[in-house]
Amino acid sequence: METELTKTNSLAEELRAAVDRNFDDQVAFLARLVQFRSLRGQEAPLQAWMAERLAERGYKVDAFSLADVDLMSHPKAAPMDGIDLAGSRQVVATYDGDGKGRSLIMQGHIDVVPEGPVDFWDIPPFDGVVRDGWLHGRGAQDMKAGVSAMIYALDAIRAAGYAPQGRIHLQTVTEEESTGNGALSTLMRGYRADACLIPEPIGHKLLRAQVGAIWFRVRVRGTPAHVAYSETGTSAILSAMHVIRAFQDYTKRLNEQAVDHPWFKTVKSPIKFNVGIIKGGDWASSTAAWCEFDCRLGLLPGTSPQEAMRGIEKCLADAQSTDSFLSSNPAELIWSGFQADPSVLEPGSEAEQVLASVHQVVFNEPMQLQIGTAVTDTRYYKVDYGIPALCYGHYGIGPHAFNERVDLESVRKITLSIALFVSNWCGLKKL
Ligand code: ZN
């Protein structure tokens, strides 16, 4: 007798063979993706290439920009800080199916963070080199490998002689690393589904809960004076250090309050504060006339972005009140990106159950859960649009670091996992 499980197992073998047959091609596709230096504001050439690759697979392709939706009218749109909306391109490829199965959005971001000094890398960050089973480069892990997996999962289904029944939107977006406005724009454009899957590099786990994040910039003035009479001046750099220390202390207090958080109590210091950029001063023998620095502060489920922003304002105000210069020369506070909600994937959704069952088939062990101290785009689907959004993907090393790389055997397995998930979620028919 044929049971659901034996059906899934024999389908898994057919799909595994199809993923394997296409895998050299998939690795070449991923290497090409890495070779696009798709930093923020520079993603358009990659997106144009992507639109062609998806169109030649027979999908209906909608390529649009952030200027094509009324982005800033949305309460969850985050400030873009000088980035050209028209240059920030999004790609949505639609496969219609026969409408008899459940629909699915699969989404990946193709923006990458800056690589830093290239001579600190062992292998140049945009060469897309494969060595010893790893594909190296900025964005290889986070998350161009996931983008390759979602596209080649559908290719494998077709190559095995099947067609999904539910409608599928394959989406590549920008702005994930800075605002989330790319993902938001696809929702404003009208794309919806019964579930969403974002194959971020979670190391074969499912992301159960994630933090939110706020980006802000602090601009501090100084009073320039010759260093010979430095007591007559004020260094904006030293004032900035005073403010930064205050934010470090504030973060420590927030983490002390988080020790019994329902989702994050197992994570040590889940709220991370980072000063990621600092600029200031003009001359080694002048007290610094100005300094500005860019920060990111996390927030946990139960705190809204607005509450977190009020907390940041208060921390800055308190720091200034204890400083003789800053108390009469207040710093400027600028909201410079993320105003991201924290979010939780509520346990028990059908989408999660389907993913857990296919994960068991592919990995031969139960799917583990991850509690995340970084932001992902899944928040909009879950928090704002009521769509269960699964964040689940491959294993790699070094996101945002030197020598970022992705384990290709992991990519192969996740591609199969996604193909099986699509088969079970959307339904399949024989071609
Ligand atoms: Zn990512």
Side-chain angles (χ1 to χ4, degrees), residues 108-111 141-144 176-177 198-201 374-377 391 399-400:
H109 69 86
I110 49 76
D111 51 324
Q141 183 213 15
D142 182 13
M143 63 168 284
K144 290 174 173 175
E176 193 275 345
E177 299 284 6
I198 299 187
E200 287 270 15
V375 165
T376 78
D377 277 341
C391 192
H400 298 214

Side-chain angles (χ1 to χ4, degrees), residues 84-129:
D84 173 29
L85 295 182
S88 197
R89 310 289 300 174
Q90 317 301 317
V91 176
V92 177
T94 298
Y95 162 85
D96 277 324
D98 62 11
K100 290 188 179 143
R102 288 175 289 208
S103 58
L104 179 66
I105 288 169
M106 292 199 280
Q107 192 256 61
H109 69 86
I110 49 76
D111 51 324
V112 300
V113 302
E115 67 278 21
V118 173
D119 52 347
F120 289 3
W121 288 69
D122 296 336
I123 293 173
F126 297 104
D127 282 6
V129 170

Side-chain angles (χ1 to χ4, degrees), residues 27 31 34-35 123-137 140 404-406 408:
V27 172
V34 170
Q35 288 160 3
I123 293 173
F126 297 104
D127 282 6
V129 170
V130 176
R131 189 175 292 175
D132 300 329
W134 296 78
L135 197 151
H136 293 250
E404 177 179 352
R405 57 202 183 276
V406 65
L408 289 173

